[in-house]
Amino acid sequence: VERTYAVPPFAGVGYSTSDVYRVSAGGPGLLVVEAEDQWVKVSIFNTVTGTVLASTSQRQGGGGYDPTGRYYYHGDDNSSGSVMHKLDTAGDVFAQTAQSSVSGVSYYGSRTVVMSEDGKRVFWNGVAFDQNLTPEWSVGDIIYSASADGRYAFSQTKIYDVAQKKSLLAMPVST
């Protein structure tokens, strides 16, 4: 352990700003940190200096960086207006470059966002998107993990082939 950073715990329902609910690794020394509550501060955190470089206010949800550490994908949750956002973090700022609104599994979105390791596929709210947030397939299940190239997607109970747009197998155990 080289450094530790103190953060306040979740303080209860309201407008959360400084607690840590989600952490995503970006470029060298950079993290995106999301708080827990309904409307949250999402921040780019520099692990070398221990400072917040930029913040944006978003609806509660989840997110993940693409493998280049440049684009951060945030999926809203708990709102009838939930959308999936693609945010460019170049220059240590948040600039939205795309968004997609799909009904997916829930009308209210999802806190779970999964990025394939190659960065070409993103999963949110039961939908598989390409890296530009063009919907490729409504899987109909929340995806919790994917193969490195995003062809295979894993829900709690099934394994999907996204290229063939079909369920392949049941999971051997509920995960």
Side-chain angles (χ1 to χ4, degrees), residues 56-152:
T56 181
S57 179
Q58 298 291 330
R59 183 71 186 165
Q60 76 178 34
Y65 260 114
D66 77 333
T68 68
R70 177 172 179 176
Y71 296 102
Y72 185 74
Y73 294 83
H74 173 83
D76 297 338
D77 180 47
N78 197 28
S79 170
S80 59
S82 288
V83 297
M84 180 70 171
H85 307 268
K86 180 179 181 182
L87 304 167
D88 189 345
T89 64
D92 300 328
V93 298
F94 287 104
Q96 183 165 289
T97 62
Q99 76 175 29
S100 184
S101 177
V102 294
S103 56
V105 172
S106 171
Y107 179 66
Y108 293 98
S110 171
R111 282 189 183 264
T112 304
V113 175
V114 173
M115 167 66 62
S116 64
E117 288 180 35
D118 68 0
K120 294 184 180 171
R121 194 163 275 141
V122 185
F123 300 89
W124 171 73
N125 196 24
V127 177
F129 299 90
D130 70 10
Q131 68 268 28
N132 295 313
L133 297 186
T134 303
E136 294 182 332
W137 180 41
S138 183
V139 180
D141 225 346
I142 298 295
I143 300 303
Y144 294 101
S145 183
S147 60
D149 63 359
R151 177 171 181 171
Y152 301 103

